[in-house]
Every structure is written in structure tokens, then in C-alpha cells.
Amino acid sequence: MEEYLQGCRAALQESRPLHVVLGNEACDLDSMVSPLALAFYLAKTTEAEDVFVPVLNIKRSELPLRGDNVFLLQKIHIPESLLIFRDEIDLHALHQAGQLTLILVDHHVLPKSDAALEDAVAEVLDHRPLEQKRCPPCHVSVELVGSCATLVTERILQGAPEILDRQTAALLHGTIIVDCVNMDPKMGKVTLKDNKYVEKLEALFPDLPKRNDIFESLQKAKFDVSGLTTEQMLRKDQKTIFRQGIKVTISAIYMDLEAFLQRSGLIADLHAFCQAHSYDVLVAMNIFFNTHNEPVRQLAIFCPHAALRTTICGVLERSHSPSLKLTPIPSTHPNLQAYLQGNIQVSRKKLLPLLQEALSTYFDSMTIPSGQFETVDVSREQVDKDLDRAGASLIPGLSQDEEEPPLPRTPMNSLVDECPLDQGLPKLSAEAIFEKCSQISLSQSTTAFLSQK
């Protein structure tokens, strides 16, 4: 794999047609590994002089936000410098020059910004229900499994198992295990095919890490924010609501709020972040597990506009449906109100309607008619670009929390309470993991209490 990736970078320096294997804009583990492995396979098995190049569909600067991606690359000794990112290749220029063929992996619908590339799509490999039909000669392969990496593994082992090296096997193995929540059937994610190909990889490479070990390591890396700047923490898992010139952003922060507030230069960083993206309010939703392995939620409302901040805090404090059970946390920082959230079942998904209500209350107090809200995933920079172009017009979409459809479309990596396979497999986010762990923790506590009676 490493030698192959070195050749890919060299190919970018040449003026020649390219077959680009492209993952989705979320670029989680599945959407990074699946294009890498499929492009490697195609390069090894195609007799023609075609060049297959895997492209990560994010800017290079975005990679540190994906701790599990970084961890897995380091563990199997693939240098990040060998990877090719979206900001390092001009797909539109290649297409205009007639030198681009696209293979979409882990998605099958291009975003509006790439609509001009539609007729370059020659193949699709995905694991979600089709939302858009494609006509021949485009080859479409879709199957509802837990991980797109399962479909790539199947293709390699059925087509040319001799080309599979340990690096590639380790990439695929770790990704399937993470996507299928450690292959636990109770989580409603893993399928028979996922199990089949994890077992085949383990049989071919007996020294692959134990499932529990790689799952726990990757999950720990996903939640680890210790090496991130404040700006990166805020962007890692972020959404925004926007109306009538006011933008409120909500960031999930995976650390204790007390430690977060003690970060050097925090207030200056918050001001700079809000100013750079024209945010009027920043809500930090801190999530972590305490020393007793109990889930804890905290809130911080940062807003330089006193009236707006007071309105938002008032609505959240008085809310009864749901009740957040907020306890103020002393803070010396100006323009910031902090809380301990007693009701840990109120996730960001459930907080959003309260923030919408707070904005309505604020506008009502100013005798401005309330309007409709739009909620978008803004963990990418695409939304800000569209805002610049369209003013108050946002790309419509939903959050990545729990079971909601995401924007941009992401691999199906989620923990849900049920598994509606007819609607496709569920999706995974760090917030969803915390939500499920919270439910499990509460359930175990209740069981232990009842058993003592």
C-alpha cells in the first residue's frame, strides 16, 4: 500500500487521464479506507495503463479533526504525507480537460458544488439505499451492510486475494469493526456479510489486532481532543441554526467544561472563531465520563450580545419539556454563562428546538415576526461558502446526531435503538455513542438498584 501511494503522488505531477476513487465529504474512517483499498485493488488488477488515485474528500487541514483516522494510519505506518486530499487536486479542471473518470465509494450522490462532475462518474460502490439512479454505462453496486469496507474486502478477496497485504487488511479490518460497533449484534449494525469478511481477514492475517483492542483504541482516538486547538475542537462536531441575520452554532466538546474553560487564551479564541464565521452565539455542549464511568453533560453559552445571551439562558433554565436541570457553574469569563446539565438524556438533537424557541422569544421581544429555522451540519466549510454566496440562504439538511440523515451524506455508522433495515442501516456519531452509553449506564444502575431490593 505504501509503495502504491507514493506512485499516486507522482502521477499527479503528470498530465494524463486519472481514475479518481472518491469517498464522501464526511471522510470518516470508512470513507477514507474504502477508497484507499479499492483504488489499490484496481491499480493492481487493471491491465491497461490506467492510473487509479484515491482522494480524501476533505482539505488536508481537516484530517487532525478525525482522530481515529489519524490513529489507524499511524498504527499501520502509512505516512499522512502520501495521502491525496481534495484541495490538492482540481477535479473540475481535470474534467474540463477530459481527463477525469470518477469512482464514488461510500456515497453515490454528489453535492451541488460537484454537480458538474456527474457525467464523469463511471462507478458507484455504496452501502446505503439508492437516492439517485444512474444510467449505463455507470456501474452501480449497492448492498446494505454495516461498512462499505466490507464490500471492498469482498471485491478484493473474490477478485485477487493475492494482492492483499497486511497494511491494507489492517485498514479494512479496523474499519469494519468500528462501523459495526465491535461486531455486536445487539447494536443493530452488523450483518452476516460483515462478520464473514472480518473472519476471512483474521484467517488470512492471524496477527491482526484483537477486535476489542482495535475497537477500544479507535473509539478512544475518536474522542481524544487533547491535541486539538480550540478552533479545531469547536469545528470537530458542530451544527448551526440561522435566521434573520443571527447564527447560533452548537459544538460538542468531548472534555470536562472546567478544563475547557482553563485553556490558555480561550475567550480570545472564542471571539476569533465567532468573528471568522459570523456566529452571534456559540453553545459548547461538553460531554465526558467521570471517574466512576458515569456520563456527564455541561453547557456553556458564549455571546457578546447581553440581551441575546440573557434570553437564551432564560429559556434553557426555565425549560420543562424537556427539563435540562441546569445548575450554574461559576465563571470569571465575560460574555459566557456555564452550567452543569443534570438531565443527561437531553442531547444536542433535543437542545436544538430549545435554542430555536430562544431565538423566537428574542425576536418577539424585538417585535420581529418569527420565521422558519434551518439546521445544518457545519463540520465542513461548505456551508460558510454557500452563505457567502447566498446571504441568508443555507443548504437544507439535517444534523448528524443519532438517527437523523446527515449533510453531507456520511457512511452509516450509528448506534440506534432499533434497526430499520428497510430504511438502510443506521449512522454513527460521537454524540450517538455518548447517548447510547448514557442509556446503558442508567439501565445498569437501575438493574443494580432493583437487585438489591
Side-chain angles (χ1 to χ4, degrees):
M1 173 65 78
E2 188 172 345
E3 181 180 351
Y4 160 69
L5 292 175
Q6 289 174 342
C8 289
R9 291 214 65 88
L12 292 188
Q13 309 305 317
E14 306 173 11
S15 179
R16 59 185 302 177
L18 296 178
H19 293 257
V20 170
V21 185
L22 186 69
N24 67 49
E25 292 176 291
C27 196
D28 68 354
L29 204 57
D30 199 15
S31 205
M32 176 185 76
V33 167
S34 293
L36 288 173
L38 182 60
F40 175 71
Y41 165 76
L42 293 172
K44 294 292 185 180
T45 57
T46 302
E47 296 181 359
E49 295 297 320
D50 295 338
V51 178
F52 293 88
V53 175
V55 174
L56 277 62
N57 205 356
I58 54 172
K59 294 181 178 181
R60 180 174 289 275
S61 61
E62 297 282 326
L63 184 62
L65 304 183
R66 293 153 180 81
D68 46 349
N69 294 31
V70 173
F71 174 86
L72 189 57
L73 290 170
Q74 292 175 345
K75 185 174 181 61
I76 62 175
H77 307 295
I78 292 181
E80 296 174 15
S81 60
L82 296 182
L83 303 178
I84 299 169
F85 294 81
R86 185 61 191 267
D87 56 336
E88 298 171 341
I89 182 171
D90 191 337
L91 299 184
H92 290 269
L94 282 171
H95 182 45
Q96 291 173 0
Q99 295 186 321
L100 177 66
T101 300
L102 267 183
I103 299 171
L104 303 183
V105 182
D106 201 27
H107 64 141
H108 62 270
V109 180
L110 288 171
K112 292 180 181 180
S113 57
D114 286 335
L117 304 178
E118 283 288 351
D119 57 352
V121 178
E123 183 177 352
V124 166
L125 181 65
D126 201 0
H127 68 132
R128 79 203 66 238
L130 280 175
E131 300 176 27
Q132 175 180 318
K133 293 184 178 180
R134 294 186 179 275
C135 301
C138 181
H139 176 71
V140 177
S141 179
V142 171
E143 187 171 350
L144 300 183
V145 293
S147 177
C148 196
T150 295
L151 302 180
V152 176
T153 304
E154 177 182 50
R155 188 157 175 182
I156 294 173
L157 293 183
Q158 288 184 352
E162 69 279 359
I163 66 103
L164 187 63
D165 58 31
R166 191 191 180 284
Q167 273 187 321
T168 308
L171 285 171
L172 294 166
H173 180 256
T175 300
I176 298 171
I177 288 172
V178 166
D179 280 356
C180 296
V181 199
N182 205 18
M183 317 308 287
D184 186 347
K186 295 192 299 293
M187 295 303 180
K189 185 67 194 302
V190 64
T191 68
L192 291 176
K193 180 166 283 191
D194 297 303
N195 267 321
K196 174 183 176 180
Y197 282 100
V198 163
E199 291 172 358
K200 283 183 175 290
L201 289 171
E202 291 169 346
L204 288 169
F205 299 91
D207 63 333
L208 286 172
K210 292 181 179 180
R211 296 181 186 182
N212 283 340
D213 292 344
I214 192 64
F215 178 75
E216 291 176 3
S217 295
L218 287 168
Q219 287 303 313
K220 182 178 179 181
K222 180 191 290 284
F223 283 90
D224 184 12
V225 295
S226 59
L228 300 183
T229 66
T230 298
E231 191 255 354
Q232 288 173 330
M233 284 187 187
L234 295 170
R235 291 172 54 215
K236 181 178 175 65
D237 192 351
Q238 178 194 6
K239 293 191 307 189
T240 287
I241 57 176
F242 175 84
R243 182 174 69 86
Q244 296 183 7
I246 289 185
K247 289 174 71 178
V248 180
T249 190
I250 309 97
S251 295
I253 306 292
Y254 299 99
M255 67 184 299
D256 184 359
L257 179 58
E258 182 178 353
F260 181 68
L261 294 179
Q262 290 176 354
R263 291 177 66 88
S264 177
L266 176 70
I267 293 301
D269 289 341
L270 297 182
H271 272 292
F273 182 74
C274 290
Q275 186 173 17
H277 301 282
S278 301
Y279 298 138
D280 299 281
V281 184
L282 188 156
V283 179
M285 198 166 196
N286 290 62
I287 305 169
F288 71 101
F289 289 89
N290 63 19
T291 54
H292 301 291
N293 206 31
E294 298 167 336
V296 178
R297 288 187 184 271
Q298 301 159 316
L299 284 178
I301 316 297
F302 175 77
C303 177
H305 309 289
L308 181 55
R309 183 178 67 255
T310 300
T311 300
I312 291 174
C313 291
V315 169
L316 297 182
E317 290 171 5
R318 293 189 299 269
S319 175
H320 295 290
S321 182
S323 172
L324 278 68
K325 300 180 180 178
L326 298 179
T327 302
I329 297 175
S331 171
T332 59
H333 296 297
N335 306 325
L336 187 147
Q337 177 62 57
Y339 299 96
L340 172 66
Q341 181 181 314
N343 186 354
I344 63 172
Q345 295 302 312
V346 179
S347 65
R348 184 175 56 185
K349 175 186 175 183
K350 298 171 185 175
L351 181 69
L352 280 168
L354 297 180
L355 292 173
Q356 294 171 345
E357 178 187 341
L359 286 185
S360 292
T361 301
Y362 176 73
F363 280 111
D364 287 345
S365 70
M366 300 175 63
T367 66
I368 297 177
S370 61
Q372 296 297 314
F373 297 90
E374 294 179 85
T375 303
V376 296
D377 177 345
V378 291
S379 57
R380 312 291 168 264
E381 295 181 352
Q382 185 61 43
V383 170
D384 284 322
K385 294 178 181 177
D386 289 322
L387 278 171
D388 291 339
R389 291 196 298 266
S393 175
L394 285 178
I395 299 176
L398 295 171
S399 80
Q400 290 192 12
D401 278 354
E402 294 127 356
E403 72 276 15
E404 294 182 0
L407 178 74
R409 294 171 178 82
T410 64
M412 300 174 185
N413 298 336
S414 115
L415 302 178
V416 292
D417 293 326
E418 54 190 3
C419 185
L421 289 180
D422 57 327
Q423 299 298 319
L425 291 164
K427 302 169 178 64
L428 177 70
S429 68
E431 172 79 357
I433 294 172
F434 185 89
E435 185 81 0
K436 179 60 68 175
C437 291
S438 298
Q439 294 169 1
I440 293 172
S441 176
L442 288 175
S443 176
Q444 291 175 339
S445 297
T446 301
T447 301
F449 174 76
L450 291 175
S451 66
Q452 294 172 0
K453 295 184 69 175

